[in-house]
Amino acid sequence: MYKSRPKSMLLALTKLVVTLSILMCFFGCEQDQVDEATRKVGQESQEESVTTPTIKEPVLGFSQLGSESEWRLANTSSIKNSAVESDVELNFQNAEQSQEKQIEAIREFVKEKVDVIAIAPVVETGWEPILKEVKQAGIPVIIIDRLVDVTDPSLYVTYIGSDFYEEGRKAGKYLLDKIPKSMKSVGIVELKGTEGSTPSIARGKGFRDVISSRGDLLFLKSENADFTVAKGKEVMKKFLQEKGREIRVLYSHNDDMTFGALEAIEEYGLVPGKDIVVITVDGTRKALEKMNEGKINLVVECNPLLGPNLIQAVKEIVKGSTLPKRIVTPENVFTQVTAEKEIASRSY
């Protein structure tokens, strides 16, 4: 009996050692697995941080020519809203009808190293020197709304806007249909926009080219009225004082000048839309309302909502895509028959 006790104790001790060894092995393996899993997660996290770069929003520097009309305000709102809805950062500068201020703004955009510059130019001429500076800085340029007159077309990527010449032609075609050919002269007065601006030049030319075949359609007066209500009224008042009832047709290059002219016509004692055929260009809600009242005979649409087109063009340029040299927005004409239906859907 005495001899067997050490043997049993040795056996029990051996079992204990084996059990402890198994447990240590088990927990050791578990810890190794945890360590390996932690290492893999850390590695994946590190790889993810390396392979997911921060995407920088493209910056657009936009020089707007001014805020002279309802059309211009709608144009500005469209561009600002489209920028907010996209991943394009907008640096907006209003030149208030000054080409000098536009050039200053463009130079600031170059200093800030924006990705794209867009310009709605006050006038067509005088842009080549500053556009050459921008080209040397390697910044692409988009021209919107109005054209620039440059000898080197590579100074800008694309033009986005209306076909002003075609707008003038639409106005002229309507007049040919509205007034039958007569032995008596039909007196026309014209309210032009800013002197030297694309719409003023092209709308006037398109209109004249269409009606030139009619010898009875005679221009009595034509003068710039800066696309504003006040100037439109002032110039139309002068026309009436000089030509009075000889005036049978008013062709106005934008709605705001037309609104001022309507006031002058009524104050003179004539009925716009009846005594004087009124043709205007833009297509604002107010113009359609005046048309619905019978005071305007034709509205040629000029679409101000260029924001989506501009922002998309910026994205395409940043991606390195090629754009057409000219992107023309779709437009319509409205008569007194269609005015009421269009008013409700007008957003500007």
Side-chain angles (χ1 to χ4, degrees):
M1 291 291 295
Y2 177 78
K3 291 182 179 180
S4 63
R5 286 183 63 188
K7 187 176 181 180
S8 62
M9 289 178 63
L10 179 62
L11 181 61
L13 183 60
T14 301
K15 288 181 179 181
L16 178 60
V17 169
V18 171
T19 301
L20 289 173
S21 298
I22 292 173
L23 288 175
M24 288 176 65
C25 179
F26 174 77
F27 285 114
C29 291
E30 285 293 312
Q31 184 61 46
D32 288 343
Q33 290 175 358
V34 171
D35 291 344
E36 178 65 17
T38 303
R39 185 186 66 78
K40 285 183 178 180
V41 170
Q43 183 179 6
E44 288 172 0
S45 177
Q46 186 176 7
E47 288 175 355
E48 185 176 351
S49 66
V50 171
T51 58
T52 309
T54 302
I55 299 175
K56 174 182 171 291
E57 288 186 349
V59 179
L60 168 64
F62 173 48
S63 174
Q64 177 64 285
L65 66 90
S67 51
E68 78 287 351
S69 64
E70 291 298 324
W71 190 99
R72 186 65 52 195
L73 295 176
N75 177 246
T76 294
S77 294
S78 173
I79 292 167
K80 287 183 175 181
N81 292 339
S82 296
V84 169
E85 293 166 3
S86 73
D87 55 356
V88 173
E89 181 183 336
L90 177 66
N91 183 342
F92 176 87
Q93 296 295 327
N94 189 336
E96 297 295 349
Q97 302 292 319
S98 169
Q99 187 181 36
E100 290 74 19
K101 287 185 178 179
Q102 288 199 290
I103 292 172
E104 289 174 10
I106 292 165
R107 287 204 171 104
E108 283 300 314
F109 295 153
V110 171
K111 288 180 182 178
E112 294 167 10
K113 298 181 180 180
V114 301
D115 297 293
V116 181
I117 292 174
I119 308 166
V122 177
V123 294
E124 286 191 356
T125 58
W127 293 102
E128 197 133 352
I130 184 63
L131 290 181
K132 285 181 178 178
E133 290 181 30
V134 177
K135 185 177 181 179
Q136 289 172 357
I139 301 174
V141 173
I142 299 172
I143 305 297
I144 74 161
D145 176 35
R146 301 179 180 181
L147 288 165
V148 292
D149 183 9
V150 293
T151 57
D152 181 4
S154 72
L155 292 176
Y156 65 93
V157 176
T158 187
Y159 162 77
I160 302 172
S162 303
D163 186 335
F164 300 117
Y165 178 76
E166 184 58 28
E167 290 172 356
R169 287 182 57 81
K170 290 174 182 177
K173 289 175 182 177
Y174 171 81
L175 186 60
L176 294 182
D177 293 336
K178 177 68 175 177
I179 300 182
K181 192 169 184 179
S182 171
M183 296 297 293
K184 296 182 179 180
S185 295
V186 177
I188 303 170
V189 294
E190 180 182 34
L191 291 176
K192 299 186 293 183
T194 304
E195 185 174 2
S197 66
T198 305
S200 182
I201 295 168
R203 286 172 185 164
K205 187 176 188 310
F207 186 77
R208 282 170 170 76
D209 285 352
V210 168
I211 70 170
S212 60
S213 60
R214 288 273 298 271
D216 58 323
L217 300 177
L218 177 66
F219 273 93
L220 301 175
K221 290 284 182 178
S222 178
E223 191 171 318
N224 296 100
D226 299 333
F227 292 120
T228 67
V229 176
K231 194 70 174 179
K233 182 175 182 177
E234 176 189 326
V235 175
M236 189 65 196
K237 185 176 180 179
K238 184 174 70 171
F239 287 167
L240 288 163
Q241 289 170 346
E242 295 175 2
K243 297 297 180 179
R245 292 179 180 272
E246 292 180 52
I247 300 171
R248 294 280 308 284
V249 178
L250 164 63
Y251 174 43
S252 173
H253 289 193
N254 92 322
D255 289 348
D256 281 63
M257 292 188 298
T258 303
F259 302 147
L262 293 179
E263 293 179 18
I265 293 169
E266 290 175 327
E267 289 175 6
Y268 188 80
L270 297 177
V271 180
K274 184 178 179 181
D275 295 327
I276 297 178
V277 174
V278 178
I279 300 172
T280 186
V281 183
D282 268 354
T284 58
R285 177 191 291 270
K286 186 176 179 180
L288 295 177
E289 289 171 346
K290 294 292 184 184
M291 176 182 280
N292 197 42
E293 295 170 13
K295 296 180 179 182
I296 294 175
N297 301 86
L298 179 76
V299 171
V300 179
E301 184 180 33
C302 180
N303 186 2
L305 307 181
L306 305 180
N309 303 77
L310 175 58
I311 297 304
Q312 185 59 38
V314 171
K315 291 180 178 180
E316 295 298 324
I317 289 172
V318 170
K319 285 195 303 184
S321 303
T322 301
L323 294 177
K325 199 64 180 177
R326 184 163 187 169
I327 301 171
V328 178
T329 49
E331 295 169 339
N332 209 339
V333 295
F334 306 112
T335 64
Q336 291 176 341
V337 176
T338 60
E340 186 175 3
K341 182 179 70 175
E342 293 294 333
I343 292 171
S345 61
R346 219 64 184 155
S347 61
Y348 58 94

